[in-house]
């Protein structure tokens, strides 16, 4: 395991490959998950790209730090990690809140971003009332109390079969995240709005939706793609909110084409 001290917090990360060798892809996780959700994608891209995965503040093995958070703070954490590792012009792939962090990183440190993959995310996610209700429920009763509802939005009925050991495992991942980190991140999502910033993105962007996503439905993701000049929009079939778990092969097929085009565009950029 690899750890780094950034902004007075310890972060767990995994760097696969040499920074100077191949284009770096950075994966940023969804709320209530850790870097393990990208396992199948990492296996599929191994050898072709250098990959950086990490647990954001309040998740996995990273510190909780001061709560609540802002998306800008979470993006500053990622910028600090990239600076520490000497990464420039990364392709940043953010899932859900990870997509908000990716947008904030581009806004604050465009020198670090070559292209963006905004998976199952949007320029603005949910309403203040919705997030306040979730924060109150988790603070009062814990993550287990909301887990079933969250998992219905994360995964399709076909994946949520009782005999599916993977489904049980991902439920464990959710309910074992630190409550303070979870609600701190909920507050960050609640307060984030990148509607105006989306129109100013000037790098290649791929927006991805799961056709059965109950958290960021396809129409919401499509609305974000329409805000970003030249953005590409793709739907992953038979997938909920986390296609890298449910449909990794389909996601890989979409990613490979976009990554190749992004690398070519960077090479020809003056």
């Amino acid at each position: 395991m690899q750890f780094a001290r950034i902004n007075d917090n310890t972060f767990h990360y995994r760097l696969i490959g040499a920074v100077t060798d191949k284009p770096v892809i950075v994966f940023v996780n969804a709320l209530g998950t850790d870097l393990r959700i990208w396992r199948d994608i990492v296996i599929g891209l191994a050898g072709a790209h250098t990959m950086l995965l990490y647990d954001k503040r309040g998740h996995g093995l990273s510190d909780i730090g001061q709560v609540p958070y802002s998306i800008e703070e979470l993006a500053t954490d990622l910028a600090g990690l990239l600076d520490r590792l000497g990464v420039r012009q990364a392709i940043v792939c953010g899932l859900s809140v990870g997509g908000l962090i990716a947008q904030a990183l581009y806004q604050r440190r465009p020198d670090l971003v070559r292209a963006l993959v905004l998976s199952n995310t949007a320029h603005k996610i949910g309403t203040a009332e919705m997030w306040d209700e979730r924060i109150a429920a988790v603070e009062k009763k814990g993550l287990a109390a909301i887990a079933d509802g969250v998992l219905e939005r994360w995964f399709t009925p076909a994946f949520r079969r009782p005999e599916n050991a993977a489904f049980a495992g991902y439920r464990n991942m959710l309910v074992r995240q630190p409550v303070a980190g979870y609600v701190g991140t909920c507050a960050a999502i609640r307060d984030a709005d990148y509607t105006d910033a989306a129109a100013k993105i000037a790098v290649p962007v791929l927006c991805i939706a799961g056709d059965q996503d109950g958290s960021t439905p396809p129409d919401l993701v499509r609305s974000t793609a329409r805000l970003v000049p030249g953005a590409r929009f793709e739907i992953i079939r038979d997938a909920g909110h986390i296609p890298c778990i449910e449909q990794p092969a389909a996601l890989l097929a979409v990613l490979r084409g976009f990554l190749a085009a992004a690398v070519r565009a960077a090479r020809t950029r003056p």
Side-chain angles (χ1 to χ4, degrees):
M1 293 187 288
Q2 295 166 293
F3 296 92
R5 191 77 176 164
I6 307 290
N7 298 329
D8 296 323
N9 287 284
T10 295
F11 289 87
H12 173 223
Y13 72 94
R14 187 173 301 163
L15 182 64
I16 303 168
V19 169
T20 57
D21 186 18
K22 297 178 175 69
V24 178
I25 307 174
V26 181
F27 293 99
V28 194
N29 310 326
L31 174 67
T33 72
D34 60 43
L35 59 76
R36 291 173 291 184
I37 65 171
W38 299 105
R39 174 188 177 275
D40 290 343
I41 304 304
V42 168
I43 291 172
L45 295 176
H49 295 274
T50 295
M51 288 171 279
L52 174 63
L53 306 89
Y54 77 107
D55 292 335
K56 63 184 169 293
R57 241 188 245 205
H59 288 71
L61 300 182
S62 292
D63 280 351
I64 295 173
Q66 291 292 116
V67 294
Y69 313 134
S70 69
I71 294 297
E72 289 75 19
E73 286 177 319
L74 299 178
T76 299
D77 292 338
L78 176 53
L81 181 58
L82 294 174
D83 285 339
R84 177 71 55 85
L85 298 174
V87 174
R88 291 289 183 275
Q89 292 294 295
I91 300 166
V92 184
C93 177
L95 174 63
S96 193
V97 65
L100 292 172
I101 294 169
Q103 292 172 72
L105 180 70
Y106 176 78
Q107 186 181 50
R108 298 172 73 86
R109 291 287 306 276
D111 59 301
L112 297 176
V113 180
R114 174 183 300 198
L116 293 169
V117 179
L118 303 179
S119 179
N120 304 78
T121 190
H123 52 285
K124 181 172 177 57
I125 301 174
T127 64
E129 293 76 15
M130 181 201 84
W131 289 112
D132 284 341
E133 287 177 6
R134 187 180 299 192
I135 289 169
V138 172
E139 288 180 332
K140 183 176 181 180
K141 299 180 180 179
L143 280 163
I146 67 161
D148 290 342
V150 169
L151 293 166
E152 285 180 4
R153 294 186 290 274
W154 275 13
F155 299 120
T156 63
F159 191 85
R160 298 197 315 271
R161 293 173 289 109
E163 66 271 23
N164 181 5
F167 174 62
Y170 285 111
R171 188 183 195 282
N172 290 340
M173 176 183 288
L174 170 62
V175 301
R176 293 176 186 176
Q177 298 299 323
V179 165
Y182 187 91
V183 299
T185 307
C186 286
I189 301 171
R190 177 195 64 199
D191 298 338
D193 187 342
Y194 288 92
T195 305
D196 294 336
K200 301 174 184 176
I201 297 176
V203 295
V205 175
L206 169 64
C207 295
I208 298 171
D211 67 340
Q212 299 179 51
D213 186 347
S215 294
T216 52
D219 285 348
L220 177 61
V221 181
R222 185 184 286 109
S223 72
T224 301
R226 288 172 176 163
L227 290 172
V228 179
R232 175 179 162 189
F233 174 71
E234 296 283 349
I235 293 180
I236 305 295
R237 302 296 174 187
D238 302 316
H241 190 54
I242 313 183
C244 55
I245 292 173
E246 277 200 273
Q247 298 297 339
L251 180 58
L252 277 166
V254 172
L255 279 177
R256 287 189 179 108
F258 177 77
L259 294 173
V263 171
R264 287 195 300 269
R267 287 172 178 166
T268 58
R269 194 176 300 156

